[in-house]
Amino acid sequence: MPTYTANTKDMQFVLHDVLNVSSAGLPGYEDMDRDFTEAVLDAAAKVSAEVLAPLNTVGDTEGCVLENGVVRTPTGFDRAFAAMKEGGWTALDCDPEYGGQGMPYVLATAVGEMFVSANMAFNMYQGLTHGAYSAIHAHGTPEQKAKYLPKMVSCDWTGTMNLTEPHCGTDLGMMRTKAEPQADGSYKITGQKIFISAGDHDLAENIIHLVLAKAPGGGEGTKGISLFIVPKFLVNDDGSLGDRNPVSVGKIEEKMGIHGNSTCVMNYDGATGWLLGDLHKGMRAMFTMMNEARLGVGLQGYAVAEAAYQNALAYAKDRLQGRAVTGAENPNGPADPLIVHPDIRRNLMDQKAFLEGARAFTFWGAHLIDRGHKAGDAAAEGLVGLMTPVLKGFLTDKGFETAVAAQQVYGGHGYIEEWGMSQFARDARITMIYEGANGVQALDLVGRKLAQDGGKHVMAFFEMVKAECKAHEGDERMKPFTDALKVASKQLQAAGMFFMQNGMKNPNAALSGSYDFMHLMGHVCLGLMWTRMAKAAHAALDAGATDTAFYEGKIATGRYYMARQLPACGMHLARIESGAEPVMALSVDQF
Ligand SMILES: Cc1cc2nc3c(=O)[nH]c(=O)nc-3n(C[C@H](O)[C@H](O)[C@H](O)COP(=O)(O)OP(=O)(O)OC[C@H]3O[C@@H](n4cnc5c(N)ncnc54)[C@H](O)[C@@H]3O)c2cc1C
């Protein structure tokens, strides 16, 4: 069975050496010194290893079952959920006014990485609740907040997000679920939603469904959509549970991975709901949480791969197969361990260099969200908004690729369920699809985000990369980083220029290159992260850090990324500059 041990050391490195959170001076960051974050991370690591990880395979093999209209989760999930609530892990960054601990989002993100690595399917029950909590917190009336939030913060009640319908996923303007206004101010919600994560289960007393539906008078397309609170059990004014709302589970979907999470068809048959936020502004309300939600899925992409990598590494050190080309390294054994072979090294270095870069990128994104929320830093908010599709699309594509690479280290054993590597690949796959499929992330990046606010966020990003390179001019040790980053950044700018020059007269020219642009920008972001990490590692060594293996390893891993991964930017640029013609050349009949 696979194991998982949280890499708290690397998390501390990113939080303190790279992001300098203890001196960030943000409201809510007052306690963020090394000792405090270490205590939180160590405690979360223990829960991850002892409570969550042992249930990962159980969740995969048992899955969820629909019995008499109620979903039963896999064996042990109820006890683990109770332990998470008991430990306050569901409330980490929630508002203290509603029972939360008010910790920075960046710290909750680090803890979230561990929980996802240990058991992604399980963590989704809480993750979806957090999303619904954020929506009610941002858009609810004081009465709605008082009624729902304390129970959601504690996870006595969980939450769901209901957007998708059988005929519409990406194109929500075609939504059919209806909301009819009632005399008492409530609405009757009628329609079918599909693929609803954690739609029903036996872990909580109540489930608060957030449902997008069309109320009269809103017009066509997404403009007419509103957001509603639809509880499984109606909640009385004194907070006690009342009648069962007519919301039912049609079926549980059979799916490729995350078997421990119930993905439900939900039928709303005149269910009572209450408007959340403004009428006909439901899409806008959903969008305010988009950055966090998409960063959360990006995190899932690499966090599952982290667990896969750890197991692949252990296997590569243990499995004896073949001899090192430069002479036996295990002369007393029948063969050398896999890790002596350069191609296995390449594979493991690809994984390690991506994972550490992805962690830094994600924590940086979370820190920017904190800057936006806690300090009203509009530039930080603009920057993270620009990078959100990259965090989601690039990290999940590469996360899946990494999980498959880890599986490859096992050879045939990776394909056999017994070793657990197949589960990592299957679980990671969904992250590329939900919360906006990755092709749509690329569309959002190129079609919307680049030009947003007159292009000022992308210009600020380019300036930031330029400043980072300039800051290390003359430092020979940093040359492998800054030289590669300069080239990649110029390629990204050239791609942006190509879109500007060609996109207006032929939108297909921009959209044919959008996916490559998302990856090109992902590499530049990770190149920037590796430059910052190398700088931090050199600084630690210069200051006499004793753990030289960690810091020297960090620098060497960064050099690998710059030498072996960043050159992909040139390929992406060449594809982008080939324009629409090669992509659109065939008529539909010619396929
Ligand atoms: C396990 C699982 C859990 C889920 N959980 C939830 C949940 O909790 N709540 C919820 O509401 N939904 C959930 N979903 C739904 C998920 O978000 C959608 O499946 C996803 O958004 C894509 O919608 P779709 O499946 O209808 O695909 P479509 O919209 O039909 O898209 C199909 C393909 O076409 C591409 N595409 C579509 N439009 C364009 C365009 N204009 N330009 C370029 N490419 C385009 C997409 O990228 C995609 O690759 C879940 C799905 C799964 C499988």
Side-chain angles (χ1 to χ4, degrees):
M1 200 169 75
T3 57
Y4 168 68
T5 309
N7 193 346
T8 52
K9 184 173 192 154
D10 197 47
M11 292 181 183
Q12 283 282 81
F13 171 74
V14 175
L15 290 175
H16 295 284
D17 296 69
V18 182
L19 296 175
N20 298 312
V21 291
S22 60
S23 54
L26 292 180
Y29 271 53
E30 295 80 7
D31 293 332
M32 290 282 282
D33 59 26
R34 279 183 194 266
D35 289 345
F36 176 74
T37 59
E38 186 173 83
V40 174
L41 296 180
D42 283 351
K46 196 166 150 48
V47 174
S48 305
E50 294 174 7
V51 180
L52 304 187
L55 293 176
N56 201 31
T57 314
V58 178
D60 187 52
T61 48
E62 278 189 26
C64 296
V65 188
L66 180 62
E67 275 177 354
N68 305 322
V70 179
V71 173
R72 190 164 48 72
T73 54
T75 309
F77 271 38
D78 52 353
R79 266 177 289 120
F81 204 68
M84 295 294 280
K85 287 163 59 177
E86 176 76 23
W89 294 111
T90 62
L92 226 52
D93 63 326
C94 296
D95 188 343
E97 197 179 331
Y98 303 104
Q101 300 188 44
M103 289 188 197
Y105 179 59
V106 71
L107 188 56
T109 299
V111 170
E113 182 197 308
M114 300 184 202
F115 292 168
V116 173
S117 292
N119 195 330
M120 172 175 160
F122 175 89
N123 193 61
M124 286 173 67
Y125 293 101
Q126 175 199 332
L128 267 301
T129 308
H130 195 285
Y133 154 88
S134 297
I136 298 176
H137 193 267
H139 302 287
T141 62
E143 293 73 28
Q144 287 173 333
K145 291 186 196 183
K147 195 170 201 170
Y148 298 106
L149 292 186
K151 292 280 190 184
M152 294 176 78
V153 167
S154 65
C155 267
D156 288 331
W157 301 348
T158 60
T160 68
M161 307 297 272
N162 293 241
L163 291 78
T164 309
E165 298 184 6
H167 60 286
C168 76
T170 304
D171 190 355
L172 291 170
M174 296 194 290
M175 184 171 291
R176 288 185 194 143
T177 299
K178 280 199 181 68
E180 297 161 82
Q182 305 297 300
D184 65 355
S186 68
Y187 287 78
K188 288 273 174 245
I189 311 293
T190 306
Q192 187 178 68
K193 297 287 179 178
I194 62 165
F195 303 164
I196 304 308
S197 298
D200 195 61
H201 54 81
D202 53 4
L203 303 175
E205 297 158 10
N206 200 6
I207 302 177
I208 310 303
H209 302 290
L210 295 193
V211 184
L212 284 179
K214 284 196 167 171
E220 292 297 304
T222 53
K223 288 194 194 79
I225 294 174
S226 306
L227 186 58
F228 297 90
I229 300 176
V230 188
K232 177 177 173 181
F233 289 99
L234 298 175
V235 181
N236 299 320
D237 286 342
D238 66 358
S240 62
L241 296 188
D243 292 343
R244 180 79 157 80
N245 216 352
V247 185
S248 57
V249 183
K251 68 166 180 157
I252 301 189
E253 305 289 359
E254 292 286 329
K255 57 191 190 293
M256 178 176 173
I258 54 165
H259 293 154
N261 195 268
S262 53
T263 308
C264 301
V265 171
M266 302 299 298
N267 294 321
Y268 293 85
D269 299 310
T272 303
W274 287 271
L275 184 67
L276 177 60
D278 295 331
L279 188 65
H280 305 137
K281 302 274 168 62
M283 289 305 289
R284 195 188 290 173
M286 292 297 295
F287 266 98
T288 56
M289 299 158 324
M290 213 60 109
N291 290 348
E292 272 181 56
R294 292 188 166 167
L295 181 137
V297 175
L299 178 147
Q300 286 183 325
Y302 83 83
V304 171
E306 163 72 27
Y309 163 70
Q310 288 187 12
N311 287 281
L313 176 62
Y315 191 83
K317 289 179 180 174
D318 188 58
R319 169 86 169 165
L320 303 182
Q321 209 70 198
R323 287 291 182 196
V325 280
T326 48
E329 295 202 12
N330 177 33
N332 298 326
D336 287 337
L338 288 175
I339 198 162
V340 304
H341 303 304
D343 188 60
I344 292 282
R345 288 294 187 103
R346 169 207 55 82
N347 186 343
L348 291 171
M349 286 301 285
D350 277 345
Q351 295 176 49
K352 183 173 164 62
F354 164 68
L355 289 166
E356 292 176 18
R359 175 175 297 123
F361 185 27
T362 304
F363 287 16
W364 180 43
H367 181 54
L368 290 172
I369 289 177
D370 274 338
R371 285 194 172 282
H373 287 181
K374 292 179 184 294
D377 183 339
E381 210 148 340
L383 190 57
V384 77
L386 168 75
M387 293 189 312
T388 292
V390 185
L391 280 158
K392 198 281 180 183
F394 181 71
L395 295 189
T396 58
D397 276 0
K398 290 284 171 190
F400 174 69
E401 199 179 301
T402 301
V404 171
Q407 189 182 28
Q408 188 75 9
V409 172
Y410 280 69
H413 300 274
Y415 198 71
I416 302 300
E417 291 293 341
E418 183 188 340
W419 288 87
M421 298 308 284
S422 146
Q423 184 189 351
F424 292 129
R426 288 185 286 103
D427 284 359
R429 182 66 181 86
I430 184 59
T431 63
M432 297 157 70
I433 298 169
Y434 62 18
E435 197 55 49
N438 285 357
V440 177
Q441 299 299 325
L443 185 67
D444 179 42
L445 177 64
V446 170
R448 214 165 69 85
K449 295 289 175 62
L450 284 186
Q452 206 165 40
D453 297 325
K456 87 172 177 199
H457 307 301
V458 74
M459 294 314 290
F461 176 79
F462 288 141
E463 282 307 312
M464 177 185 296
V465 175
K466 208 163 127 190
E468 187 72 40
C469 294
K470 208 168 163 49
H472 309 299
E473 251 170 29
D475 184 345
E476 279 302 305
R477 301 177 307 181
M478 290 299 293
K479 252 179 96 53
F481 293 88
T482 50
D483 283 357
L485 185 58
K486 264 186 223 162
V487 172
S489 172
K490 282 200 179 116
Q491 287 163 332
L492 185 68
Q493 291 183 51
M497 189 59 75
F498 177 84
F499 293 152
M500 271 172 57
Q501 287 167 348
N502 299 279
M504 288 299 268
K505 54 180 188 282
N506 180 10
N508 282 343
L511 297 187
S512 299
S514 58
Y515 213 89
D516 281 284
F517 189 85
M518 180 173 77
H519 275 249
L520 207 175
M521 188 160 172
H523 280 300
V524 172
C525 288
L526 259 60
L528 177 66
M529 293 299 104
W530 273 114
T531 304
R532 290 182 176 171
M533 287 195 281
K535 177 182 73 172
H538 278 303
L541 289 168
D542 291 348
T546 49
D547 192 356
T548 50
F550 175 80
Y551 293 110
E552 285 168 2
K554 188 57 91 176
I555 295 163
T557 308
R559 288 174 71 131
Y560 180 91
Y561 195 87
M562 304 314 268
R564 301 270 314 200
Q565 293 292 342
L566 228 52
C569 294
M571 173 195 71
H572 290 302
L573 176 62
R575 286 182 185 167
I576 290 166
E577 289 183 337
S578 74
E581 201 281 326
V583 174
M584 304 301 284
L586 299 187
S587 70
V588 171
D589 293 338
Q590 282 176 298
F591 276 93

